[in-house]
Amino acid sequence: MVGAWRHAQFSWYAAAEGADQAVIQVAPENTGSAAVAHRAGFIYVGQPLGTDGDRFDRYVRDLPAPDCAGDLRPKPHTPASAGPTRVRAGLVVLVGPPASGKSSFVRALIARGHIDEDAVVSSDEIRAELFGTSPAESNTEAADALIFMERDRQIAARLAGGQTAVAESTNVTPQARTRLITIARRFHAPVTMLRFTPDLGTLLEQHAGRCRADITTADVHAFAADMARHAGAGQLRSEGAHAVHDVPGRRQGATPAEAAACFSFT
């Protein structure tokens, strides 16, 4: 197992060569190497069977995309001189585990006047509107079906009127995104996906500060693993996204307001 600095050098080189994800495999009993993987921001995604029949714990981490100067070190998303990234009017899909900063980012966009409050279609807000604060009623398959049916209706209504719709839910699985992309295609609307990729330690810290009784630490681990497996930038493009952008966060030293300043909506 390489040290943190050597791993960082490898990550920068691999990303510059076109890789978008790094993988570490360690023996299940090697707790020391597993601890290093966690500290380096890797997420555990399972125990695949090796070609020799042995099983290894597999950890993955998305690699940073190089900026225009080829620098891969963590930094705020866009320097002031480069200007904000333009997001076309259409469907904007937020992709990230719970506690990854999606809601804070959206609130900052609204505060800066980049999007209207009505543009945001939040599954959590719909859940609260339909079921209040009763977890017994809202955390069922029947409730989920109603929530996402209403979400889809609101998104379709905005796209039909040529307006931007921001889908604020986790969207870390291909199935969830396919449902949204299908709606966008009905209205010939471009799809932009914004990825939220904090390391696991940051996710757990932010989760602890939210006091959400309906989301457990195990849920955060599971969503983070799904994100690592199924939400790489290349996969999102292959599913039909017209554009994919990473939203900077604490790992890059960016506040939600600074992250919001990195994007403009047309």
Side-chain angles (χ1 to χ4, degrees):
M1 177 65 63
V2 296
W5 172 243
R6 187 173 299 175
H7 166 69
Q9 288 180 310
F10 166 77
S11 296
W12 302 337
Y13 173 79
E17 292 297 311
D20 62 6
Q21 192 174 76
V23 177
I24 293 176
Q25 291 191 162
V26 302
E29 65 274 11
N30 192 340
T31 56
S33 292
V36 172
H38 280 297
R39 287 196 299 271
F42 283 73
I43 295 172
Y44 175 75
V45 296
Q47 273 192 348
L49 187 65
T51 56
D52 57 359
D54 293 332
R55 288 192 180 275
F56 291 92
D57 288 341
R58 184 182 178 90
Y59 298 83
V60 302
R61 176 180 175 178
D62 290 333
L63 295 176
D67 63 17
C68 58
D71 189 353
L72 292 156
R73 288 167 290 185
K75 60 172 65 177
H77 176 71
T78 307
S81 60
T85 297
R86 294 181 60 189
V87 177
R88 296 170 61 190
L91 177 61
V92 180
V93 180
L94 307 187
V95 182
S100 58
K102 299 185 298 297
S103 296
S104 297
F105 174 72
V106 164
R107 287 194 295 268
L109 289 176
I110 295 170
R112 295 181 67 90
H114 289 339
I115 59 173
D116 296 330
E117 188 172 0
D118 291 342
V120 182
V121 183
S122 166
S123 58
D124 282 346
E125 290 186 5
I126 293 172
R127 188 181 301 274
E129 290 170 3
L130 293 180
F131 298 99
T133 58
S134 173
E137 294 182 31
S138 64
N139 291 327
T140 66
E141 290 186 5
D144 283 345
L146 288 174
I147 290 162
F148 287 103
M149 185 183 303
E150 174 60 17
R151 183 203 64 173
D152 295 352
R153 185 195 68 78
Q154 292 183 22
I155 289 173
R158 288 194 63 85
L159 297 182
Q163 299 172 298
T164 290
V166 179
E168 187 195 346
S169 43
T170 56
N171 301 315
V172 296
T173 64
Q175 295 87 344
R177 297 187 295 268
T178 296
R179 180 170 177 164
L180 293 167
I181 291 169
T182 299
I183 297 172
R185 285 176 175 163
R186 282 168 46 198
F187 301 99
H188 306 287
V191 178
T192 299
M193 297 199 183
L194 301 182
R195 298 196 324 141
F196 295 75
T197 60
D199 59 69
L200 184 59
T202 300
L203 270 180
L204 295 176
E205 183 179 340
Q206 292 179 168
H207 168 66
R210 296 199 313 164
C211 300
R212 286 278 301 268
D214 58 324
I215 300 291
T216 67
T217 298
D219 291 331
V220 174
H221 276 271
F223 277 104
D226 281 337
M227 178 81 180
R229 288 192 193 100
H230 304 302
Q235 177 163 345
L236 300 186
R237 292 188 187 94
S238 72
E239 291 172 0
H242 295 83
V244 179
H245 305 292
D246 284 359
V247 177
R250 286 173 55 182
R251 189 166 67 181
Q252 293 79 21
T255 66
E258 290 169 336
C262 294
F263 298 91
S264 67
F265 290 72
T266 58

